[in-house]
């Protein structure tokens, strides 16, 4: 079952088509909550940072059909939980740690000479 479907079919000039695409591009660039003016009303959408797209061109019976489809989930994306403290702290075999300290000591000794 579809939650909502809006469909509009009408004839328009090349400039009107460009204006519609420009308004859509501006809403996409802005992201977040966007409003698109569509006769006879306004369509409000939440536009996330990541979208899926599909572009289809079909030539049939002397007519060109261009479809641009953008899809995204209606729910806000879940934020990943930051790693726990235990996951952030890594313990090595001791060799890597002592080598690192040795390098720092050598650098310090070189700087002091």
């Amino acid at each position: 079952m579809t939650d909502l479907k809006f469909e509009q079919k009408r004839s328009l000039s090349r400039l009107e088509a460009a204006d519609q695409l420009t308004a859509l591009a501006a809403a996409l660039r802005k992201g977040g909550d966007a409003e698109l003016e569509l006769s006879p009303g306004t369509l409000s959408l939440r536009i996330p940072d990541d979208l899926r797209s599909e572009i289809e061109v079909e030539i049939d019976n002397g007519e060109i059909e261009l479809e641009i489809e953008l899809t995204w989930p209606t729910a806000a994306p879940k934020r990943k939980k930051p790693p726990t403290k235990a996951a952030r702290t890594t313990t090595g075999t001791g060799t890597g740690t002592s080598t690192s300290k040795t390098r720092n000591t050598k650098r310090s000794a070189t700087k002091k000479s």
Side-chain angles (χ1 to χ4, degrees), residues 47-62:
I47 302 175
D49 290 337
D50 296 311
L51 311 164
R52 290 182 307 277
S53 72
E54 180 181 332
I55 297 176
E56 185 179 321
V57 177
E58 193 174 309
I59 302 171
D60 191 28
N61 295 326

Side-chain angles (χ1 to χ4, degrees), residues 32-54:
D33 294 329
E35 291 189 351
L36 293 171
E37 295 295 328
L38 300 171
S39 296
T42 302
L43 180 62
S44 297
L45 298 169
R46 181 197 55 80
I47 302 175
D49 290 337
D50 296 311
L51 311 164
R52 290 182 307 277
S53 72
E54 180 181 332

